[in-house]
Amino acid sequence: MVGSGVTLLTGEYSSTLDEKGRIMIPSKIRTGITSNVLIVTQAIVDHCLWLFTPEEWESLSSKVMENASPFSAKSRLVMRSFISPAQEIEFDKSGRLSIPQSLRSYASLNKDCVLLGNGKYLEIWDSASYETYLTANADNLLEASEELNSISF
């Protein structure tokens, strides 16, 4: 993705959140990110965190805001849950990101975490929460993949 500040981010990685709320981002992911800054916010559809490059965040957040109205209760809910909690965080010299306490609480992040590369953004999950999510959605995976039947390769 030329000009987007990120190459295709993929992979599942285990990482540890330290006592100061910092998480190491694997070098394989860091090398795909051209910025020293990421935007972190609540994933409003799951209890994890979403991380975007500034360029991807600008693109997505501007689309959300263009389609939102302060006169719509649903729009205000999305804005308050997705746009408002977003914070800019910077990689330290060791390749760690300091996750704000409010966002750590939202995602119930403890020591053991999972990082997922989802193309244009990253997710950070508490490891136990992610395992629970996978188990709870195992039966839905086949149905969800069937909806992609128009894709051929």
Side-chain angles (χ1 to χ4, degrees), residues 37 42 50 65 125 152:
V37 170
Q42 298 176 168
W50 286 344
M65 290 186 284
W125 286 80
S152 61

PDB file of all heavy atoms in Angstrom, residues 37 42 50 65 125 152:
ATOM      1  N   VAL A  37       4.449   6.554  15.184  1.00  0.00           N
ATOM      2  CA  VAL A  37       3.249   6.833  15.970  1.00  0.00           C
ATOM      3  C   VAL A  37       2.108   5.958  15.466  1.00  0.00           C
ATOM      4  O   VAL A  37       1.987   5.724  14.265  1.00  0.00           O
ATOM      5  CB  VAL A  37       2.862   8.328  15.823  1.00  0.00           C
ATOM      6  CG1 VAL A  37       1.506   8.615  16.415  1.00  0.00           C
ATOM      7  CG2 VAL A  37       3.925   9.213  16.447  1.00  0.00           C
ATOM      8  N   GLN A  42     -10.691   1.954  21.098  1.00  0.00           N
ATOM      9  CA  GLN A  42     -11.536   0.809  21.420  1.00  0.00           C
ATOM     10  C   GLN A  42     -12.059   0.187  20.129  1.00  0.00           C
ATOM     11  O   GLN A  42     -12.472   0.902  19.226  1.00  0.00           O
ATOM     12  CB  GLN A  42     -12.743   1.253  22.260  1.00  0.00           C
ATOM     13  CG  GLN A  42     -12.385   1.836  23.575  1.00  0.00           C
ATOM     14  CD  GLN A  42     -13.589   2.341  24.344  1.00  0.00           C
ATOM     15  OE1 GLN A  42     -13.453   2.627  25.500  1.00  0.00           O
ATOM     16  NE2 GLN A  42     -14.756   2.474  23.739  1.00  0.00           N
ATOM     17  N   TRP A  50      -7.918  -1.509  18.743  1.00  0.00           N
ATOM     18  CA  TRP A  50      -7.512  -1.361  17.346  1.00  0.00           C
ATOM     19  C   TRP A  50      -6.416  -0.317  17.277  1.00  0.00           C
ATOM     20  O   TRP A  50      -6.518   0.739  17.908  1.00  0.00           O
ATOM     21  CB  TRP A  50      -8.682  -0.920  16.479  1.00  0.00           C
ATOM     22  CG  TRP A  50      -9.707  -1.982  16.204  1.00  0.00           C
ATOM     23  CD1 TRP A  50      -9.585  -3.337  16.365  1.00  0.00           C
ATOM     24  CD2 TRP A  50     -11.023  -1.771  15.703  1.00  0.00           C
ATOM     25  NE1 TRP A  50     -10.744  -3.966  15.990  1.00  0.00           N
ATOM     26  CE2 TRP A  50     -11.652  -3.031  15.581  1.00  0.00           C
ATOM     27  CE3 TRP A  50     -11.739  -0.635  15.341  1.00  0.00           C
ATOM     28  CZ2 TRP A  50     -12.941  -3.186  15.115  1.00  0.00           C
ATOM     29  CZ3 TRP A  50     -13.036  -0.793  14.868  1.00  0.00           C
ATOM     30  CH2 TRP A  50     -13.618  -2.062  14.757  1.00  0.00           C
ATOM     31  N   MET A  65     -16.883  10.172  10.610  1.00  0.00           N
ATOM     32  CA  MET A  65     -17.404  11.494  10.988  1.00  0.00           C
ATOM     33  C   MET A  65     -18.253  12.116   9.886  1.00  0.00           C
ATOM     34  O   MET A  65     -19.222  12.812  10.173  1.00  0.00           O
ATOM     35  CB  MET A  65     -16.256  12.405  11.412  1.00  0.00           C
ATOM     36  CG  MET A  65     -15.654  11.973  12.746  1.00  0.00           C
ATOM     37  SD  MET A  65     -14.410  13.088  13.415  1.00  0.00           S
ATOM     38  CE  MET A  65     -13.016  12.699  12.399  1.00  0.00           C
ATOM     39  N   TRP A 125      -5.441  -8.051  21.992  1.00  0.00           N
ATOM     40  CA  TRP A 125      -6.390  -8.772  22.822  1.00  0.00           C
ATOM     41  C   TRP A 125      -5.691  -9.266  24.098  1.00  0.00           C
ATOM     42  O   TRP A 125      -4.520  -9.628  24.060  1.00  0.00           O
ATOM     43  CB  TRP A 125      -6.884 -10.026  22.104  1.00  0.00           C
ATOM     44  CG  TRP A 125      -7.840  -9.823  20.992  1.00  0.00           C
ATOM     45  CD1 TRP A 125      -7.554  -9.445  19.714  1.00  0.00           C
ATOM     46  CD2 TRP A 125      -9.245 -10.030  21.037  1.00  0.00           C
ATOM     47  NE1 TRP A 125      -8.698  -9.406  18.973  1.00  0.00           N
ATOM     48  CE2 TRP A 125      -9.754  -9.763  19.749  1.00  0.00           C
ATOM     49  CE3 TRP A 125     -10.134 -10.427  22.050  1.00  0.00           C
ATOM     50  CZ2 TRP A 125     -11.106  -9.875  19.444  1.00  0.00           C
ATOM     51  CZ3 TRP A 125     -11.481 -10.534  21.737  1.00  0.00           C
ATOM     52  CH2 TRP A 125     -11.960 -10.257  20.451  1.00  0.00           C
ATOM     53  N   SER A 152     -12.537 -16.174  -5.565  1.00  0.00           N
ATOM     54  CA  SER A 152     -11.836 -17.308  -6.167  1.00  0.00           C
ATOM     55  C   SER A 152     -10.359 -16.946  -6.300  1.00  0.00           C
ATOM     56  O   SER A 152      -9.988 -15.794  -6.374  1.00  0.00           O
ATOM     57  CB  SER A 152     -12.437 -17.639  -7.539  1.00  0.00           C
ATOM     58  OG  SER A 152     -12.304 -16.551  -8.414  1.00  0.00           O
TER      59      SER A 152
END
